[in-house]
Amino acid sequence: MRIWLINHYAVPPQYYPLARQTYFAKNLMAMGHKVTIISASSVHNSDKNLITDGSRWKRESVDGVDHVYIKCCDYKDNGIKRIYNMCEFAWKLPGVCKKLEKPDAIVSTSMPPMSCAKGIKLAKKFGVPGVAEIADLWPESLIAYQIAGPRNPAVLYLRRLEKWIYKRSDAIVFTMGGGYDYIRDMHWEREISKDKVMHINNGIDLEMFDYNAEHYKISDPDLEDGQTVKVVYTGSLRHANEQIKPLFDAIELMQTQAYARFRFFIYGKGEMQEELERLCKEKHLNNVKMKGYVEKKYIPYILSKCSIAILNCKSHEILRYGGSQNKLFDYLASGISVISGEDNPYSIVRNRNCGIAQDFRTAQELVNALRQLSEHPIDRGYIRSIAKEYDFSVLSKSLLDIINRCLRAKGET
């Protein structure tokens, strides 16, 4: 079977680390299928473009995976050029796809919804299953993060497009557990059957994770200090991740002899980095170190040397439908105990007892959770066993099952 994975941002992971489509592709290929990942040529959060000549599109094989890049403009932030970039990819997608061999199934990812909708339209044109993968709730995220109001014309347009995607796709795969709760909250349940709504989390390639832990190590005396309780946060330091800020209130409370063994390490970069560094200086927080950005391949080793990992310290309204942060699966793969402020019915941390998940209303509550996990750590082998359920070899079989189900349904009609 020939499968297209259409995802605006799914360039090879050496350029951008969100490798979900790459892992799907490799595992589906190992099961005997032909897979092509179709993405924009622009690399998110960078100034790199994978097409530098006048070509409208480009095809190449990277680590055995077939990639098709569609030439799109560069952008640097979340301004008008990024919006144009999203639209440009969707506009150009049909013209490039007609030059490719006809697929047997299409999996089309939102965000952004424009290209996801085009992928579903292409599936209808070819008469093949069209699976909508919902990795971000747009336009709900725009409202939740106060980027735009609910009556904003762009939001109203995206809401209609979102509903169209859900209705016209043969299956909907949410990366968050509460996808159908969201559909009910939109009052769309009469038009969108629960039977077509599925859930596949983000996950981990355990073989790659273990290889990196063994082969990519960092020489850092802080990590080698066996006398400390090492608490780590990895990930971007952007305003969308402001859930980390309450951690610094807890760190301030732990500037006492009672917590002298605790050390906090923050790995990541983003627009909040300078603000957090300034906060550390102003409050004389000597038990935390801003370690900056490291390549993802070093994360497994770093986690292996730490005791507790911070996913987030407070929830956000939109997380009531669940979350699927990539770093959670790194944490699970390392066996490290997790602190999460994301306390909802879909929390893996809470439901699988991989740490402490609660709504931290005060910094002292967070301090108490850190102390509890330091005194009563969860068995790393147990947490690692949970990660095996989210290995991409398992998740890819789930995706293939959904595609085959859609194929059978089309054969019956």
Side-chain angles (χ1 to χ4, degrees), residues 6 65 75 92 118 149 154 213 277 282 317 342 344 355 386:
I6 299 174
V65 177
Y75 64 92
K92 293 181 176 179
K118 281 294 178 73
E277 289 173 346
E282 290 174 354
E317 180 187 2
E342 182 188 322
N344 61 60
I386 301 301

Side-chain angles (χ1 to χ4, degrees), residues 151-384:
R151 306 306 299 174
N152 182 291
V155 168
L156 294 175
Y157 164 74
L158 290 171
R159 186 74 81 197
R160 289 195 298 271
L161 185 61
E162 176 190 35
K163 184 180 180 181
W164 184 93
I165 291 168
Y166 293 170
K167 289 178 64 176
R168 296 298 299 273
S169 60
D170 294 295
I172 312 165
V173 176
F174 286 91
T175 60
M176 64 290 297
Y180 201 70
D181 287 350
Y182 174 71
I183 288 172
R184 278 196 294 258
D185 287 349
M186 296 296 107
H187 307 293
W188 297 339
E189 66 270 24
R190 291 186 179 181
E191 300 172 84
I192 301 165
S193 169
K194 188 175 183 180
D195 291 342
K196 69 186 287 186
V197 177
M198 316 292 175
H199 170 224
I200 300 178
N201 261 295
N202 281 318
I204 191 78
D205 182 330
L206 287 174
E207 183 178 354
M208 178 66 72
F209 185 93
D210 293 342
Y211 179 89
N212 288 344
E214 179 65 27
H215 291 85
Y216 295 101
K217 302 181 179 182
I218 289 178
S219 178
D220 185 341
D222 289 331
L223 293 176
E224 303 302 328
D225 187 351
Q227 303 304 310
T228 60
V229 177
K230 292 177 276 293
V231 183
V232 63
Y233 171 88
T234 67
S236 61
L237 300 174
R238 301 184 183 280
H239 290 301
N241 302 93
E242 283 194 352
Q243 295 93 335
I244 190 181
K245 289 184 75 174
L247 175 63
F248 287 79
D249 295 327
I251 291 172
E252 185 176 11
L253 290 181
M254 298 174 78
Q255 295 277 88
T256 66
Q257 187 60 34
Y259 300 104
R261 292 182 61 232
F262 280 82
R263 295 292 183 274
F264 295 85
F265 305 133
I266 312 297
Y267 290 89
K269 66 177 181 178
E271 63 265 17
M272 283 182 61
Q273 185 173 350
E274 290 186 9
E275 177 185 346
L276 295 176
E277 289 173 346
R278 185 170 61 252
L279 184 66
C280 291
K281 291 180 180 178
E282 290 174 354
K283 295 192 174 183
H284 305 288
L285 304 181
N286 55 27
N287 53 352
V288 57
K289 290 191 177 181
M290 304 293 293
K291 293 289 188 176
Y293 170 80
V294 295
E295 292 184 63
K296 188 173 175 61
K297 64 186 179 182
Y298 295 106
I299 294 297
Y301 178 75
I302 290 169
L303 295 176
S304 74
K305 294 296 182 178
C306 296
S307 307
I308 302 170
I310 303 295
L311 183 65
N312 47 45
C313 301
K314 66 177 182 178
S315 190
H316 194 284
E317 180 187 2
I318 201 166
L319 293 178
R320 67 187 182 277
Y321 302 113
S324 195
Q325 293 170 273
N326 284 287
K327 60 174 161 279
L328 171 61
F329 302 97
D330 290 332
Y331 295 167
L332 298 180
S334 73
I336 195 170
S337 299
V338 181
I339 292 279
S340 172
E342 182 188 322
D343 187 19
N344 61 60
Y346 307 101
S347 168
I348 294 172
V349 176
R350 185 185 73 169
N351 294 339
R352 304 306 298 274
N353 190 30
C354 298
I356 295 176
Q358 71 178 69
D359 180 9
F360 297 109
R361 298 183 181 277
T362 67
Q364 186 59 53
E365 289 183 355
L366 182 53
V367 171
N368 294 342
L370 288 163
R371 183 177 60 205
Q372 180 179 333
L373 285 181
S374 70
E375 295 173 353
H376 305 285
I378 299 169
D379 180 71
R380 293 186 84 123
Y382 164 74
I383 297 176
R384 167 75 178 201

